[in-house]
Amino acid sequence: MEKKIDINAIYKPSEDVVARDVQGEFIIIPIASGVADMEDELFSLNDSGKAIWDKLDGKRSLKQVVEKLALEFDAPKEELEKDVFGILKELLKRRMLVEG
Amino acid sequence: MRDSCYLMREDSEKEISGEDFICLLHAVLEKGVSLKFKAKGFSMTPFIKGGDVITLAPFGRADYLSLGSVVAFIKPETKHLVVHRIVGRTDNGFIIKGDNVKEPHDIVPGTNVLGLVKKVERNGRQAYAALGPEKRVQAFLSRNTNLLPTMVTAWRQIRNLLGIKTKYE
């Protein structure tokens, strides 16, 4: 069963990924298996995803992340919250984030 | 800000090269993790061919590298990443050379060596890359002659004639 995400929860990037800006793209490679597989396990985040990833620093709650995004982007908070929850689900499913 | 898909899996044809690749390689190896990536070029043919998938591992200290090891290093003159074989050692660093190149070897400081090739895969199966104890013989042949590819081809023909199969086939 999918875990319900709490808006007051704090998340940060997992130690089990390597993430870098590469040739204008934000690349994430999982390393939990002990091998970073650039052939089969190379992921990229789109611009929205990257903007959210940068704010998931293990200090801000998701609520604060949404507030910060609202200052940067001209979009309603409800919509931004959906974006944050959307990416969080994808990243948690692949164990790229952990609770901070 | 809306996008339907935030996280995308890149296909295996995505090419990351140059400094970006070296940066990524450093980041992975620093975590004590191996990196799998596609080889390019022909300088290590027949042991490593373009398109083969190499598993490169961190090696700890330079002392752990031995004669015949195949390593990824930054070529001092060009700053390019190269995968070749250690064929000797001097006070100034390792003597490193491609198995299939006539050009003189490189003298490479230990700090330029980034990782050790642990496995080579070709078409999804492990390929023979002379990484076992026989690597010392390969190092000798590579350093002193360019006969190695010829010898390998000859060996394959003999093997086929005799119907001998290796564990990689």
Side-chain angles (χ1 to χ4, degrees):
Chain A
M1 202 173 102
E2 202 172 270
K3 192 183 163 191
K4 197 168 183 296
I5 297 169
D6 178 3
I7 190 75
N8 293 307
I10 296 171
Y11 289 90
K12 64 180 180 184
S14 164
E15 288 288 314
D16 288 333
V17 298
V18 167
R20 287 284 184 285
D21 270 309
V22 175
Q23 293 162 2
E25 266 188 290
F26 191 70
I27 296 288
I28 305 177
I29 313 177
I31 57 170
S33 67
V35 179
D37 188 345
M38 291 190 60
E39 291 307 300
D40 293 327
E41 289 284 298
L42 190 68
F43 296 88
S44 67
L45 272 182
N46 65 8
D47 291 344
S48 304
K50 170 71 166 56
I52 297 167
W53 174 277
D54 284 342
K55 289 165 187 64
L56 297 169
D57 57 1
K59 292 173 190 157
R60 294 186 184 99
S61 67
L62 296 180
K63 193 177 175 185
Q64 289 170 315
V65 169
V66 172
E67 283 163 4
K68 185 106 172 97
L69 288 166
L71 295 174
E72 286 178 31
F73 297 93
D74 185 21
K77 276 191 185 175
E78 300 73 46
E79 200 173 290
L80 292 169
E81 198 176 296
K82 276 184 194 166
D83 280 322
V84 170
F85 277 50
I87 186 166
L88 216 75
K89 279 179 190 162
E90 288 185 40
L91 293 169
L92 286 171
K93 191 171 77 184
R94 299 198 180 276
R95 297 178 183 178
M96 292 172 175
L97 285 179
V98 291
E99 279 198 70
Chain B
M1 174 153 191
R2 305 244 59 192
D3 276 309
S4 56
C5 189
Y6 309 94
L7 184 71
M8 287 157 286
R9 187 189 288 269
E10 296 288 337
D11 69 48
S12 62
E13 296 307 311
K14 181 175 179 64
E15 199 166 303
I16 300 173
S17 55
E19 279 182 32
D20 284 318
F21 183 76
I22 292 170
C23 183
L24 210 53
L25 183 58
H26 269 297
V28 169
L29 296 177
E30 270 171 15
K31 290 214 172 199
V33 171
S34 298
L35 182 75
K36 267 173 98 168
F37 63 98
K38 206 170 266 178
K40 284 192 278 186
F42 53 86
S43 61
M44 285 295 286
T45 301
F47 298 117
I48 302 174
K49 295 179 176 176
D52 287 356
V53 177
I54 293 175
T55 301
L56 193 71
F59 54 83
R61 288 172 30 200
D63 298 357
Y64 299 151
L65 298 173
S66 58
L67 188 68
S69 295
V70 178
V71 293
F73 66 98
I74 311 272
K75 204 172 162 81
E77 309 84 53
T78 61
K79 309 293 179 209
H80 290 156
L81 184 77
V82 181
V83 175
H84 281 170
R85 193 181 298 276
I86 295 176
V87 297
R89 205 166 184 169
T90 70
D91 291 341
N92 298 323
F94 295 101
I95 305 169
I96 303 183
K97 189 175 174 292
D99 289 337
N100 189 35
V101 291
K102 288 177 182 168
E103 289 82 37
H105 51 250
D106 294 293
I107 304 287
V108 181
T111 50
N112 280 39
V113 180
L114 304 183
L116 176 68
V117 173
K118 286 284 190 187
K119 192 161 101 175
V120 178
E121 290 163 90
R122 190 171 300 150
N123 303 321
R125 301 171 73 184
Q126 189 168 344
Y128 175 71
L131 301 175
E134 74 281 17
K135 66 186 180 183
R136 290 172 180 275
V137 177
Q138 308 297 356
F140 175 81
L141 290 168
S142 182
R143 181 172 181 174
N144 295 292
T145 70
N146 196 38
L147 283 174
L148 186 57
T150 315
M151 289 175 69
V152 170
T153 307
W155 161 242
R156 282 194 177 146
Q157 283 173 353
I158 293 166
R159 202 181 59 187
N160 289 341
L161 277 172
L162 299 175
I164 301 169
K165 284 190 184 284
T166 70
K167 65 176 176 175
Y168 303 104
E169 294 171 320

